[in-house]
Amino acid sequence: MRRILTYGTFDLLHWGHIHLLKRARALGDYLIVAASTDDFAVRAKHQKAPYHQFQTRCDMLEAVRYVDLVIGESTWEQKVDDIRRYHVDTVVMGSNWKGSGRFEYLRDYCDLVYLPHTPGMSTNKIRRDLLAD
Ligand code: C2G
């Protein structure tokens, strides 16, 4: 069984997220999604406070057909532990993370795949567009 792991906030779940999850799942047999906690999203990723709280974002991810398990992401440093604990073969991220320096070291522990970022889709764009109405 090939186990895939990906990380994200997944707030205001949209096609860009689902498209990533669909392609990530297709790389293996089991997809684990680590959803950023509210505190991690704001404090460490300097994002706006997610619209949906952590548990709601987890519940929504669990309803996605491509997702097999949802865990929390509360630190940058937890990834190696996650890979070992869940016997992960491949970490998958959108290509906007390539060159961020946040993932390359994981190649010592598992495969690392960047999938093309889906253009024109972002949580911030949704927020802006709704405000413009
Ligand atoms: N994504 C994508 N295309 C989009 C939007 C998002 O491919 N139009 C991908 C991102 O590259 C990421 C995943 O979907 O791999 C989740 O996106 P976000 O919720 O924005 O996650 P992010 O804030 O990038 O958090 O430790 C890593 C971070 O938790 C990633």
Side-chain angles (χ1 to χ4, degrees):
M1 175 186 279
R2 190 158 189 79
R3 302 162 69 88
I4 314 293
L5 171 62
T6 191
Y7 294 83
T9 305
F10 297 101
D11 191 35
L12 298 183
L13 201 60
H14 55 67
W15 172 240
H17 298 137
I18 304 289
H19 190 211
L20 185 282
L21 296 173
K22 180 176 185 178
R23 289 173 293 159
R25 177 64 176 75
L27 295 175
D29 310 287
Y30 191 87
L31 175 59
I32 302 159
V33 179
S36 306
T37 61
D38 299 331
D39 176 65
F40 181 65
V42 173
R43 177 181 48 80
K45 291 165 58 177
H46 310 301
Q47 294 176 338
K48 291 187 177 68
Y51 177 82
H52 291 302
Q53 292 182 352
F54 174 67
Q55 189 54 55
T56 301
R57 289 184 284 115
C58 291
D59 293 344
M60 291 174 76
L61 285 164
E62 284 171 359
V64 175
R65 63 183 301 167
Y66 308 114
V67 176
D68 296 288
L69 176 67
V70 180
I71 62 174
E73 178 192 29
S74 55
T75 70
W76 291 114
E77 297 78 19
Q78 72 179 72
K79 296 185 176 63
V80 174
D81 286 342
D82 293 341
I83 289 163
R84 287 175 170 154
R85 178 176 301 128
Y86 297 100
H87 310 291
V88 169
D89 299 288
T90 306
V91 166
V92 173
M93 291 301 294
S95 57
N96 57 302
W97 282 93
K98 198 167 189 175
S100 68
R102 290 286 186 188
F103 291 89
E104 286 308 311
Y105 72 101
L106 297 179
R107 292 188 192 280
D108 293 339
Y109 303 93
C110 66
D111 294 336
L112 177 62
V113 173
Y114 296 107
L115 295 174
H117 189 266
T118 302
M121 293 265 174
S122 75
T123 304
N124 285 334
K125 183 180 184 314
I126 294 170
R127 287 174 183 251
R128 285 195 308 272
D129 290 354
L130 288 175
L131 281 173
D133 281 352

